[in-house]
Amino acid sequence: MSAGGQTGASRTAIARLGGFTAFVWIAGLVVAGIVALVYADEGGFDVGAVGVDEDYASEPWTSPDPIVADDRGGGVYEGSDGAVIRLSGLDVDAAVVLTPEDSTYLGGVRVTGPGGRIVTEGEYGEPPRFSSLADGRVVVLVEQPDVELWVDGFSDETWRARVTTGGLGWTNDVASGFESAVFTHAGEASTARLSARGEGSIAIQIVTPHGSERTFDGEAPLDQSIAWPDAPLVVFSVESWDDVGWKLEFPPTPTPTPTLSPSPSPGATP
């Protein structure tokens, strides 16, 4: 074959290779776009909330012009992912409860003071994050009466939630049951004894003013201690599955010892 023929064949091969490479690149971009949409819908990562500047999508409290949730009256608020609920005059000894309405989704809540200022720190010095419980509610504990709640929802949907305070019930010594339960504990303890009988599993999520964390997952039967960060007020969310009976025993709060005044010396003037 002549040299010219070899050159023509080479050019043809190069052209075909270039076309194939372009096809691979285009196909790869299409697949990447599909994967991004799937993960965004599943909450794998945030691609930016509707109506929110993407520069502040992951930290909306830093935005100079945040989206404010619509107050629908009666404690009901509505907004997009990252919208803020501004509350004032709260009782710091009562939990704030956000209950989703109309089958909407609440992934969690970040809490700051007015103007997005961090007054109670969570993990890594960020605003504390409160995740949704098994029943879909989000329970928040605050350390100041005026707060801003930054709601995490689906990036392409509007959420609606009713905000209430208290109403969770109190337990200071022993809590037990055969079903899931949410209750508040006040005291100086930072540990409790957990026991469970039967067959099945149990999980405990603990809420303090510094955020919420899933502190225990286990299978019955069991008998062990659990611990949580020091806090004057703690909310426990206990989830149980199958045939499990559980009990949480808190240590008693120490009774203060009265201070006795010294007896006056004989002859001393009272």
Side-chain angles (χ1 to χ4, degrees), residues 13-25:
I14 291 172
R16 290 177 177 174
L17 179 60
F20 177 78
T21 302
F23 172 80
V24 170
W25 271 100

Side-chain angles (χ1 to χ4, degrees), residues 12-107:
T12 301
I14 291 172
R16 290 177 177 174
L17 179 60
F20 177 78
T21 302
F23 172 80
V24 170
W25 271 100
I26 294 173
L29 291 174
V30 171
V31 171
I34 294 173
V35 171
L37 289 175
V38 170
Y39 273 87
D41 287 342
E42 293 181 354
F45 55 84
D46 192 1
V47 296
V50 175
V52 177
D53 189 331
E54 289 190 7
D55 292 338
Y56 305 101
S58 61
E59 298 180 343
W61 55 90
T62 64
S63 172
D65 187 25
I67 292 180
V68 179
D70 186 15
D71 185 351
R72 310 294 291 180
V76 176
Y77 293 84
E78 185 177 272
S80 59
D81 181 25
V84 59
I85 300 174
R86 290 172 173 152
L87 303 176
S88 60
L90 294 175
D91 180 0
V92 298
D93 293 325
V96 180
V97 182
L98 285 78
T99 304
E101 294 200 337
D102 300 334
S103 300
T104 58
Y105 168 77
L106 302 178

Side-chain angles (χ1 to χ4, degrees), residues 203-206 212-217 224 226-229 236:
I204 298 179
Q205 185 171 336
I206 291 179
S212 63
E213 62 176 302
R214 199 176 183 90
T215 191
F216 181 82
D217 281 282
Q224 66 180 78
I226 62 171
W228 57 91
F236 288 80

